[in-house]
Each structure stands twice: as C-alpha cells, then as structure tokens.
C-alpha cells in the first residue's frame, strides 16, 4: 500500500456486526476477560488507540508506536526511559517545551549539552562516554535549522547511543527518520496529524522492539499520560487527509516564502525550501517536501514585528501550528526571558486558505 492508502485503511478495525465503514469510538474503560483482542483496561489499551498506533507505525515504517496525551508527554517518556546519569545531546534550536522538560524535570538526573546540530563537528565534540541519547529536531522550531539525520545516526551508532528525531514539522509525508537511521521518531500529533487545532496528542514510533522500547511502553501504560478514545478517533480521522493537507501546506509555504524574501520590509526568511537556506541541500536529500512552517524577521524590532501581526486578518495571532488555518506569532514573546530567538522573528504556520488571500493580507500588513 502507498502512503495515502495506508493513511485511510491501515488503522480502521471494525468488529461491529453492522459493519460501519468508520470505526466507532469505544468509550468503555473496561473489557470482559477473555475477549479476542486481549484488551483489559483502557489505560493499558483500547480499540481506538490500537488503531491510531497501528496507522502511526505504518506511516513511519516502524515496528510499533505509542500514543500519548501530548507531544510533551511523548518526548518526556524518552527522557524518563534513560538511566540516571545519562547524557543527552540536543539542538540549540528546538521546541522550548521539551527543552524545559530536559532541563527542569530532569535536573540532577540527566545531563544535557545543547549544540548547533546543523554543524556535525559540534555534535562530535559533545559526545561523552555517558552519552545515551542524541535528540534531533529537523526542521527545527523556530529557526527551521536542518540536521543531517544520516550523518548524526552514524555518530549515535558509533557511540551505542539512541537517536530520536522530533518529526513534527516534516511529518512522515515528507520525511521518514527511521529510514534515515533514527531509532525513535517523536510527534506532537496536536499539529499536522490533528490538523484542525482541536486535539492534543503525541506519539513515539520505534524502528525495532528493544528493551528500551519496552520501557517506554511501560512508561506509557503505567505513567498513564495516554490519549482518550475520542482523541484517538479524531486523530485517525485527520490522518486520512494528512498527505493531501501536507502537499497544500508546503505548496503555500513556498509561495509565501518567495514573496517574503522579496519584500523590502523583511530582513530574512527561514524556509528550507529556499535555495539560499543553509540547510537546503541536506533537506532536499532527506525530505520529499519542505513543510508548511516559515519564520521571518521584520526590519526593526519587537514593536515593528508586533505591528505586522496586529494588521493581519487571515493569520490568527496564536501559538501552535499545523492546522488548516494560518497562524502567526512573535515567537520570542512565548519562549520566555531566556530565549535566544530574535525579538523581531515571526513564525507562520501557513494554512490552506487560498494563497491569493494570504498574499493580499501580508501585502497590506507589511505596508
Ligand atoms: C508542539 C510541539 C511539541 C510539543 O507538543 P504538545 O502536543 O504541545 O505537547 C514538540 N515538538 C514540536 C516540534 C512541537 O511543535
């Protein structure tokens, strides 16, 4: 089966005698002993989560998947799975919530070194005898930095460390980290998988069922940060159109990136699809599309950037990304006082509105 077919058919499991075409939501928290599926209790598993995990594993080409109640819960499960005293190498530009998880929740338990992962020498230099995890996010949030997954996987293998990749921005439509050498893929399914800004979720997909993976499944089931059957249902529903939405997001993002690049009020555009992006060639070698997120800096400072945001009609000034509607935010304003993100940087989640309307809106806001 091809990607689009897997997305539509692989998760659906219908046991109802009326044979509905769409799998019903099974709200029951408990199941009779001795049932065919072997399901006991909904925290450990339920039919809707089984379907979601099945389709996620298939789309990423993994052996198994674990769905969580948020992307942060999924990422944090990986850190929880490490032995105390383990060392992590993580990107200097990454989703700030997971950075906080590493630094705050695991302070005194895990050691973390942040490096520019688009520079392999920095990654190499950071490796220590106790390095157990290389955490990659590519394209990264919010600077759209690109990491060479194949090259970093070689470094991880040589050290016997796990390579995990946050694939939220690319989605499996455009990038399959497991095929490029990663051991684990992480997603905030709140974003493109959900695609409509109405469900919170996260996921991990593993290349192989290893003792580390078994530990992660235990963290999922015993820790209990699991999605509800309704959340799983919504995600399965949205995943059916993921491929088509992603093609639209990427096509629109390219059009907007080229427009912004040529605008006199714009200082710099960060989009891996642009030939002048420093990671463009690596992105083109490991992705089949460049995604739907653009960042750009407005000439001036925070005030000039805020003025642009306030004039826009079709880009809601809101955090998050990956929905059908366009969103924009001045990223530094939500990342807190320690952020290194430029104060005049705007991150855009390019939606599926007609690009004529989006361009016209940007035109009047940047005037
Ligand atoms: C949103 C996001 C997360 C966190 O996911 P939540 O579902 O908000 O917990 C992690 N990584 C990236 C790249 C994200 O955009």
């Amino acid at each position: 089966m091809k990607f689009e077919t897997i997305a539509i058919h692989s998760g659906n499991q219908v046991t109802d005698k009326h044979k509905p075409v769409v799998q019903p939501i099974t709200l029951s928290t408990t199941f009779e002993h001795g049932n065919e599926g072997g399901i006991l209790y909904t925290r450990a598993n339920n039919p809707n989560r089984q379907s979601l995990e099945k389709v996620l594993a298939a789309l990423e080409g993994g052996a198994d998947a674990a769905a969580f109640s948020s992307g942060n819960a999924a990422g944090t499960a990986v850190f929880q799975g490490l032995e105390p005293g383990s060392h992590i190498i993580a990107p200097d530009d990454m989703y700030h919530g997971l950075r906080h998880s590493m630094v705050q929740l695991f302070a005194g338990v895990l050691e973390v070194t942040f490096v520019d992962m688009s520079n392999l020498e920095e990654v190499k230099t950071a490796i220590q005898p106790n390095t157990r995890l290389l955490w990659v996010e590519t394209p990264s949030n919010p600077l759209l930095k690109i990491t060479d997954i194949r090259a970093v996987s070689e470094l991880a293998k040589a050290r016997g460390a796990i390579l995990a990749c946050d694939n939220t921005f690319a989605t499996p439509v455009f990038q399959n980290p497991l095929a490029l050498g990663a051991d684990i893929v992480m997603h905030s399914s709140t974003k493109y998988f959900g695609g409509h800004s109405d469900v919170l979720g996260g996921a991990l997909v593993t290349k192989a069922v290893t003792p580390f993976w078994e530990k992660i499944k235990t963290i999922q089931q015993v820790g209990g940060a699991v999605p509800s059957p309704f959340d799983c249902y919504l995600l399965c529903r949205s995943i059916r159109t993921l491929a088509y939405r992603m093609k639209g997001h990427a096509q629109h993002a390219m059009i907007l990136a080229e427009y912004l690049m040529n605008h006199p009020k714009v200082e710099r555009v960060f989009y891996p699809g642009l030939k002048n992006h420093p990671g463009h060639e690596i992105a083109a070698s490991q992705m089949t599309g460049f995604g739907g997120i653009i960042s750009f800096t407005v000439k001036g400072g925070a005030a000039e950037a805020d003025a642009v945001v306030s004039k826009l009609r079709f880009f809601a000034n809101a955090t998050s990304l990956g929905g059908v509607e366009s969103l924009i935010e001045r990223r530094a304003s939500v990342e807190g006082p320690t952020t290194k993100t430029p104060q005049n940087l705007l991150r855009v989640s390019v939606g599926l509105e007609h690009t004529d309307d989006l361009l016209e809106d940007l035109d009047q806001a940047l005037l």
Side-chain angles (χ1 to χ4, degrees), residues 214-234:
E214 302 283 8
K215 204 165 167 187
I216 283 184
K217 289 297 279 189
T218 304
I219 293 164
Q220 178 204 29
Q221 295 173 10
V222 178
V226 289
S228 73
F230 182 59
D231 292 344
C232 297
Y233 166 85
L234 279 178

Side-chain angles (χ1 to χ4, degrees), residues 168 171 188-201 231 234-242 245-246 249 320-327 349-352:
T168 300
T171 80
S188 166
S189 39
T190 314
K191 313 297 168 55
Y192 288 111
F193 283 138
H196 299 74
S197 308
D198 57 6
V199 59
L200 186 76
D231 292 344
L234 279 178
L235 287 169
C236 286
R237 182 189 208 266
S238 292
I239 283 169
R240 294 185 178 148
T241 55
L242 179 67
R245 286 186 283 107
M246 288 315 294
H249 285 296
S320 198
L321 56 101
V324 293
E325 62 287 307
S326 293
L327 301 177
S349 174
V350 182
L352 298 180

Side-chain angles (χ1 to χ4, degrees), residues 69-73 95 98 137 141 166 168-169 186-191 200-202 320-321 347:
S69 52
S70 72
N72 254 37
Y95 178 68
L98 282 174
E137 183 181 312
N141 182 19
D166 184 338
T168 300
F169 274 32
M186 179 247 143
H187 281 282
S188 166
S189 39
T190 314
K191 313 297 168 55
L200 186 76
S320 198
L321 56 101
R347 188 189 71 189

Side-chain angles (χ1 to χ4, degrees), residues 93-122:
D93 186 63
M94 68 178 281
Y95 178 68
H96 75 295
L98 282 174
R99 185 190 173 99
H100 286 171
S101 171
M102 285 175 188
V103 172
Q104 290 171 3
L105 299 187
F106 296 95
V109 181
L110 301 173
E111 227 184 297
V112 195
T113 307
F114 295 99
V115 300
D116 177 0
M117 285 212 167
S118 62
N119 181 344
L120 280 178
E121 285 310 311
E122 280 198 29

